[in-house]
């Protein structure tokens, strides 16, 4: 999928993808492990923007990585 020459945009996309993945994991970890009980259900409304933003940045980072790989010329034999 990511075969070819990786450009600078690819590496920036990878950084954005990684940070968004880390942010999403942190929010979900807090929601599921560190915040049990009654507050588990009421705190979803506070973390919804963080979850939505993380998913958006995951998609942006993935698109940057996918679109910025330069394809080499394939030799036809």
């Amino acid at each position: 999928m990511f075969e070819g020459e990786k450009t600078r945009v690819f590496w920036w996309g990878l950084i954005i993808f990684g940070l968004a993945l880390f942010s999403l994991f942190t929010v979900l970890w807090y929601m599921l492990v560190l915040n049990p009980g009654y507050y588990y259900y009421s705190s979803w409304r506070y973390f919804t923007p963080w979850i939505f933003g993380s998913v958006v940045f995951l998609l942006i980072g993935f698109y940057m990585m996918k679109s910025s790989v330069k394809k080499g010329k394939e030799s036809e034999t």
Side-chain angles (χ1 to χ4, degrees), residues 8 17-18 22 24-26 29 31 34 46 51 54 61-62 77:
R8 187 174 298 194
F17 186 82
F22 174 75
L24 185 62
F25 177 74
T26 302
W29 180 263
M31 291 295 299
L34 299 177
Y46 299 115
I51 294 170
S54 296
F62 183 74
T77 56

Side-chain angles (χ1 to χ4, degrees), residues 14-75:
L14 183 63
I15 290 170
I16 291 172
F17 186 82
L19 289 173
L21 193 63
F22 174 75
S23 174
L24 185 62
F25 177 74
T26 302
V27 168
L28 293 178
W29 180 263
Y30 180 78
M31 291 295 299
L32 297 176
V33 175
L34 299 177
N35 199 11
Y38 169 74
Y39 298 109
Y40 173 74
Y41 296 108
S42 66
S43 63
W44 271 103
R45 62 183 170 169
Y46 299 115
F47 289 109
T48 302
W50 289 98
I51 294 170
F52 180 74
S54 296
V55 170
V56 167
F57 277 105
L58 279 172
L59 295 174
I60 289 171
F62 183 74
Y63 179 75
M64 286 174 69
M65 291 186 329
K66 185 171 172 57
S67 66
S68 65
V69 175
K70 290 183 181 177
K71 305 282 191 240
K73 293 183 179 180
E74 296 179 10
S75 61

